[in-house]
Amino acid sequence: MSKTAKLELESKSLTLPVVVGSEGEHGIDISTLRQQTGYITLDDGYGNTGSCSSKITFIDGDKGILQYRGYPIEELALKSTFVETAYLLIYGELPTVAQLNHFSNLLTENEMLHENMKRHFESFPPSAHPMAILSSMINATSCYHPRLMEGYKAENFTLQAARLISKVRTIAAYSYRQARGFPIIYPKTTYKYTANFLHMLFSQPYRDYELKPEVVRALDLIFLLHADHEQNCSTSTVRMIASSQANLFACAAGGVCALWGPLHGGANQAVIEMLEDIHKSGDDGSRFIAAAKDKTSGKRLMGFGHRVYKNYDPRAKIIKEQCDKLLSVLHINDPLLDIAKHLEEAALRDSYFVERKLYPNVDFYSGIIMRAIGIPPEMFTVIFAIGRMPGWIANYKEIAETQGSRIYRPRQIYTGPTIRHFVPLEQRTQKA
Ligand code: SDX
């Protein structure tokens, strides 16, 4: 017997179907509410609203659970790679050896940008934020491949997805080099995904960057841990754009813009800037914690809190462990890591954070790893975007392949002026 929900409305009693997900989540299907009652629901920030059903990622915020296509993030972090996990998210199953080799080869074959695109990079000022460059160059890339400009077609999809995943890495590296006046370093077909990215970032024409396995592994893990996260702000943006049947590259460019905000993917850069300010001020973190609790301070403990996780973000736990491992391998003693750990300890003992269930999220420690690798803070959210690309692509594919999927068009409750009529200019007096 399927579950239902009753809604008493004026003299009406409405029975609405209840949808139960494979992990036991319950949702009231209100898709006929307006038609039956003239009412809509209102949910600022969508905290109580499901925009879709999805088979890609499951999060249990109370228990701190994250699963990609049913696989626990802890297992994937330990045993998988970013490219293998990207395949899993996009196609729904872990790849066979042949499938993984084919996918990996596609990434290798599509790592170069059209040579004319160098002119676009040269036109950006050195101070241009790499997220601005990334979002614009994703769309620019598709202009060189007309088939990429087309909406979803099953026969084109895999090549489009591979080109996007592969080229965002090259775009990111080029923007880093261009901002510093360094010559462009072309990818090497002998390098796998993350190693090639580090090569394009840090090698010089006269000397290849030394690829330490621990560094490659740490960055690959950062990409993997960021690969998808249910209907977060940027993924919902990608789905919103995909619902109009725009092409994959347009959706990804929109996702980059949504991710940029400091409340979302921009938080990793904001965390390091926060830690650096605390370090410079000689504060041991206590003053900052006090400010973060004071609403009038305009400060928040960046990298803390989450709309869904009311427990420790499982990704933060993995990244924190990785910080200790990588910094000891690289013989780095980063005072910002000590400050971060002190902030975490102080916050998790403080009733303000405990009562609001504010814990470290994925952004709290990730910047420490990227800093140790030599990636500058303005590139942190670009790294997040590279990691999130498979999740956006998987959601684009899911909505494109859903039979009868409709354009996303939320309603609103209008609270502006009621009807009034045009007043000629000469009759308008300045209202007091
Ligand atoms: C990501 O959605 C995803 O899945 C995102 C993400 C992904 O992988 O895609 O996980 C990636 O975006 C992680 C979040 C990164 N952002 C930050 O770290 C920025 C700092 N965090 C916050 O601004 C906040 O916690 C959010 C934006 C993450 C969540 O905001 P909500 O759910 O809208 O919560 P809220 O702002 O309504 O806060 C509830 C209360 C408020 O206090 P009261 O009004 O109850 O007194 O908690 C307070 C807030 O002031 N609060 C904080 C705080 N976060 C919330 N107070 C101090 N410091 C903080 N960080």
Side-chain angles (χ1 to χ4, degrees):
M1 167 80 165
S2 56
K3 292 187 178 182
T4 57
K6 284 220 179 305
L7 180 63
E8 303 296 331
L9 207 52
E10 292 152 14
S11 56
K12 276 190 174 177
S13 168
L14 214 60
T15 302
L16 295 167
V18 169
V19 176
V20 183
S22 50
E23 290 280 358
E25 293 168 306
H26 285 56
I28 301 170
D29 180 344
I30 57 166
S31 48
T32 60
L33 179 68
R34 191 167 179 278
Q35 175 202 339
Q36 294 194 61
T37 67
Y39 279 58
I40 62 167
T41 57
L42 199 54
D43 182 20
D44 175 42
Y46 301 129
N48 304 281
T49 298
S51 62
C52 61
S53 300
S54 177
K55 298 179 178 5
I56 301 168
T57 290
F58 171 68
I59 300 174
D60 181 322
D62 296 325
K63 296 182 188 144
I65 289 173
L66 170 58
Q67 291 168 191
Y68 292 164
R69 299 285 190 180
Y71 293 94
I73 194 67
E74 295 81 2
E75 285 184 36
L76 293 169
L78 201 59
K79 301 171 181 171
S80 189
T81 64
F82 172 60
V83 168
E84 183 180 57
T85 296
Y87 186 99
L88 167 67
L89 284 166
I90 294 169
Y91 296 102
E93 297 297 337
L94 286 170
T96 61
V97 171
Q99 287 167 332
L100 184 57
N101 287 341
H102 173 68
F103 189 62
S104 182
N105 292 339
L106 268 181
L107 297 179
T108 301
E109 288 156 24
N110 288 281
E111 58 202 5
M112 288 289 285
L113 298 178
H114 191 290
E115 199 64 8
N116 287 354
M117 283 190 62
K118 281 165 82 174
R119 288 203 291 264
H120 299 303
F121 285 97
E122 286 154 11
S123 66
F124 286 104
S127 58
H129 196 289
M131 285 294 274
I133 298 173
L134 182 63
S135 58
S136 43
M137 297 305 265
I138 285 174
N139 267 320
T141 301
S142 63
C143 297
Y144 289 89
H145 304 273
R147 271 173 57 192
L148 297 187
M149 303 283 274
E150 291 169 14
Y152 178 81
K153 284 188 187 135
E155 62 272 23
N156 289 343
F157 171 76
T158 292
L159 183 57
Q160 284 180 345
R163 278 183 168 158
L164 181 57
I165 292 174
S166 194
K167 293 180 189 296
V168 285
R169 182 188 37 159
T170 313
I171 292 169
Y174 279 24
S175 66
Y176 170 85
R177 306 286 298 185
Q178 176 67 31
R180 287 155 183 78
F182 295 163
I184 294 292
I185 296 293
Y186 289 107
K188 278 191 174 178
T189 55
T190 49
Y191 286 162
K192 290 293 180 203
Y193 193 87
T194 301
N196 225 342
F197 177 57
L198 288 164
H199 161 66
M200 289 191 276
L201 272 181
F202 297 133
S203 288
Q204 295 297 353
Y206 47 85
R207 185 184 58 242
D208 270 4
Y209 169 73
E210 185 200 351
L211 289 164
K212 292 193 175 91
E214 299 85 355
V215 171
V216 177
R217 175 67 190 135
L219 185 56
D220 196 77
L221 181 60
I222 290 281
F223 287 149
L224 186 154
L225 292 172
H226 285 80
D228 194 44
H229 211 241
E230 205 219 55
Q231 295 311 311
N232 59 84
C233 177
S234 51
T235 300
S236 296
T237 302
V238 167
R239 286 185 82 112
M240 174 71 81
I241 302 172
S243 76
S244 75
Q245 297 181 4
N247 71 70
L248 174 61
F249 281 63
C251 295
V256 167
C257 295
L259 187 71
W260 194 356
L263 293 188
H264 189 15
N268 52 22
Q269 177 177 348
V271 166
I272 287 296
E273 289 163 355
M274 170 188 77
L275 295 175
E276 280 174 337
D277 288 350
I278 292 171
H279 182 51
K280 275 187 212 127
S281 69
D283 173 15
D284 66 359
S286 329
R287 288 205 304 273
F288 190 88
I289 288 271
K293 291 158 52 178
D294 170 6
K295 297 285 190 276
T296 61
S297 74
K299 291 186 187 300
R300 283 196 160 194
L301 184 53
M302 301 310 277
F304 248 71
H306 199 277
R307 174 64 60 78
V308 176
Y309 287 124
K310 301 309 170 191
N311 201 325
Y312 213 105
D313 183 333
R315 302 167 296 175
K317 211 173 283 178
I318 297 166
I319 292 174
K320 184 181 176 184
E321 288 159 11
Q322 189 65 26
C323 279
D324 290 328
K325 270 190 220 153
L326 184 67
L327 268 60
S328 72
V329 164
L330 297 179
H331 308 298
I332 294 174
N333 179 15
D334 187 348
L336 301 194
L337 178 57
D338 300 332
I339 294 172
K341 286 181 177 175
H342 174 77
L343 286 170
E344 177 189 338
E345 280 156 29
L348 297 188
R349 282 198 309 270
D350 187 304
S351 59
Y352 172 93
F353 294 91
V354 174
E355 283 159 11
R356 292 170 178 80
K357 298 185 177 176
L358 303 175
Y359 290 86
N361 61 51
V362 67
D363 294 308
F364 194 61
Y365 288 105
S366 56
I368 301 286
I369 288 185
M370 293 189 266
R371 198 170 123 93
I373 293 173
I375 295 169
E378 69 274 10
M379 289 286 292
F380 287 0
T381 312
V382 170
I383 300 298
F384 191 146
I386 293 172
R388 186 53 52 91
M389 218 46 77
W392 290 342
I393 292 168
N395 277 272
Y396 166 86
K397 181 172 185 285
E398 185 171 69
I399 197 170
E401 291 179 345
T402 301
Q403 287 308 318
S405 76
R406 305 169 69 206
I407 191 167
Y408 281 19
R409 205 285 184 208
R411 302 306 298 263
Q412 62 165 26
I413 296 294
Y414 175 71
T415 56
T418 52
I419 190 165
R420 52 186 176 163
H421 299 288
F422 186 81
V423 177
L425 181 59
E426 61 280 1
Q427 293 173 24
R428 286 176 219 156
T429 51
Q430 185 68 30
K431 288 199 177 69

